[in-house]
Amino acid sequence: MSAERSEVNTRKLRPGTRGLSRHLEGWQPALVAVVIAAACALLVVPRPAGADTIPLPHVDAAEASRAEVRREQQARAALSEPLPFLVRAAGESLRSFGRAEAEGRTGEAARALLELRGLARNSLTKHGDEPVLRLLAYQTELFLSAVESWEAGGPEVSDIAELGGAFLHKARAARWTRGERRLVATRAERAALFKVRWVEAAGLRAVGAFAPTANELRIYYRFLLEHPDTTRSAEEPLRYVSAVEKVDLGYPALFARGVIYYRTGQFARAAQAFRAHLEKQPNGPWRLRAQNHLLAAAQQARETTPDP
């Protein structure tokens, strides 16, 4: 009888147990879903966070590649067809300017610069744009090759100083190098840095065919924003941001200014810039960061403002 009673009791318990299990089936996935939802909610809730990342302008890699092909073609043309005397003379004046600049001979550098600009203008007047563009392309390739050779352990050849002036000295001072012989700039960035220097030295930056394209300027300023020159004012990037927003209409310039102000301890101005960014782009991709940085900047501004 005892065994029968035990069997009956077991049968009574089993249905109840199965009923409870049925109500709890699937609780593990549900709990995971709740945890994920809670984590997501935490992620989207603004919280104070220091501003550390400056947005970089968009660069069209395909356009940069096409520009490199054109430059290489023009450089080959400069080798296959001798450039006019005036154009070659302009190229030599650039070298004289670079040498004097690299060696700190400011008076001679100033004279060479004036000569270069006169020869460049006369070359355009007499021979048109194309021969001078070929000179620019050829000297760009020479400069890039000289720097790559130096990085590979070769000597610091004269082409680097004659074409780039005090470029290596500046790169080391600005911390654009890793170790002794490695530039952080990509080939496209090096070409953009050289072109801006070349057209400014020749006085041709505002001349249509020689003016850096919007994409070249985005490459140029992207590098300077990502690797700010440590020898210049900490607010120098503000000038770069102003330049970028002219060639990249979607660039979040107000956000970038907020980051720069935050980095330089101007917390009230940073908060103002982040607030203006949120008003202008309330649903943009930088929204949550701007909210977090705004809270941090406002908090820092309160803490650093002396009591009246």
Side-chain angles (χ1 to χ4, degrees), residues 262-286:
Y262 191 94
R263 285 179 175 178
T264 54
Q266 300 178 72
F267 300 116
R269 297 184 76 178
Q272 183 179 7
F274 290 129
R275 192 175 292 112
H277 168 82
L278 288 168
E279 290 173 359
K280 185 176 181 180
Q281 300 183 28
N283 299 310
W286 295 87

Side-chain angles (χ1 to χ4, degrees), residues 87-97 99 115 135 139:
V87 177
R88 295 199 307 274
E92 286 304 313
S93 289
L94 178 79
R95 287 178 175 274
S96 297
F97 167 64
R99 260 194 318 272
E115 181 182 63
L135 172 68
Q139 292 192 318

Side-chain angles (χ1 to χ4, degrees), residues 65-147:
S65 180
R66 290 192 295 270
E68 182 173 11
V69 170
R70 285 195 300 271
R71 187 180 70 242
E72 290 173 349
Q73 290 172 342
Q74 289 172 323
R76 284 195 296 270
L79 280 173
S80 61
E81 300 176 23
L83 295 172
F85 172 79
L86 266 180
V87 177
R88 295 199 307 274
E92 286 304 313
S93 289
L94 178 79
R95 287 178 175 274
S96 297
F97 167 64
R99 260 194 318 272
E101 181 189 57
E103 295 170 5
R105 292 180 279 115
T106 54
E108 189 173 335
R111 287 191 293 274
L113 189 62
L114 286 175
E115 181 182 63
L116 165 61
R117 291 178 175 176
L119 287 168
R121 288 286 179 176
N122 289 339
S123 294
L124 290 182
T125 300
K126 186 170 183 179
H127 301 290
D129 294 342
E130 188 57 30
V132 185
L133 286 170
R134 290 180 181 182
L135 172 68
L136 168 58
Y138 179 60
Q139 292 192 318
T140 301
E141 292 300 315
L142 286 177
F143 176 77
L144 295 177
S145 296
V147 171

Side-chain angles (χ1 to χ4, degrees), residues 9 71 117 129 176-177 187 214 233 235 294:
N9 290 338
R71 187 180 70 242
R117 291 178 175 176
D129 294 342
W176 293 348
T177 56
R187 183 176 174 82
S233 164
E235 293 189 15
L294 172 57

Side-chain angles (χ1 to χ4, degrees), residues 36 48 55 57 103 140 167 190 193 196 201 204 216 218 226 242 253 306:
I36 292 174
E103 295 170 5
T140 301
F167 176 78
R190 297 172 191 191
L193 288 167
V196 170
L204 300 179
E216 286 171 332
R218 289 194 292 269
E226 193 170 13
S242 297

